[in-house]
Amino acid sequence: MGHEDWTVDRLHVALPHSASRQQLLQDVNLTPIDSLPAVLDGWASAAEDLERARPMIEAVRVSMKVRGVLPEGAEARDMTADILRDAGPRHDRTAPARRRGNRTGPQDHGKGAA
């Protein structure tokens, strides 16, 4: 699938782990509009890498099911961190989350959601 064919929904479906799917949605929701194309390009590249690896992944699954061992040259490791790293810039996870909406402080009375 070419970069131009990806949608956020297709990217979400293409990602194999809930952690990567959640990170995609967080990036889409927290990235400023001007920076969004670059972030989505990173996720599209990660999804394309996964699509290219799919035949090898399926061959490994079949080998494990039939023979109970990995094929020669295959290694078992979780690629989630690699996918998240390669998808692009991350938002600072150490910073306190900024919530918008239902403010409870007296200084915000009557101002509504921001």
Side-chain angles (χ1 to χ4, degrees), residues 10 12 16-18 20 32 36 38 44-46 48 52-53 67 74 80 82 86 92-93 95-96 105 108:
R10 286 182 181 158
H12 189 265
H17 300 292
S18 60
S20 56
L36 197 53
S45 292
E48 288 165 2
R52 277 191 296 278
R67 296 186 351 222
T80 305
D82 295 339
D86 294 344
D92 182 5
R93 294 185 188 131
D108 296 317

Side-chain angles (χ1 to χ4, degrees), residues 8 11-13 16 18 26 29 66 77 80 104-105 114:
V8 172
L11 289 170
H12 189 265
V13 170
S18 60
Q26 181 178 343
N29 286 312
V66 172
R77 69 183 180 102
T80 305
T104 58

Side-chain angles (χ1 to χ4, degrees), residues 61-82:
R61 283 186 184 156
V62 169
S63 177
M64 285 299 297
K65 185 175 183 178
V66 172
R67 296 186 351 222
V69 296
L70 290 173
E72 185 151 340
E75 74 178 278
R77 69 183 180 102
D78 185 353
M79 303 282 293
T80 305
D82 295 339

Side-chain angles (χ1 to χ4, degrees), residues 3 16 25-26 31 36 38 40 42 47 53 60 67 72 77 85 93 103-104 109 114:
H3 258 37
L25 296 177
Q26 181 178 343
T31 298
L36 197 53
L40 289 173
V60 168
R67 296 186 351 222
E72 185 151 340
R77 69 183 180 102
R85 181 199 64 234
R93 294 185 188 131
R103 294 185 173 139
T104 58
H109 182 66

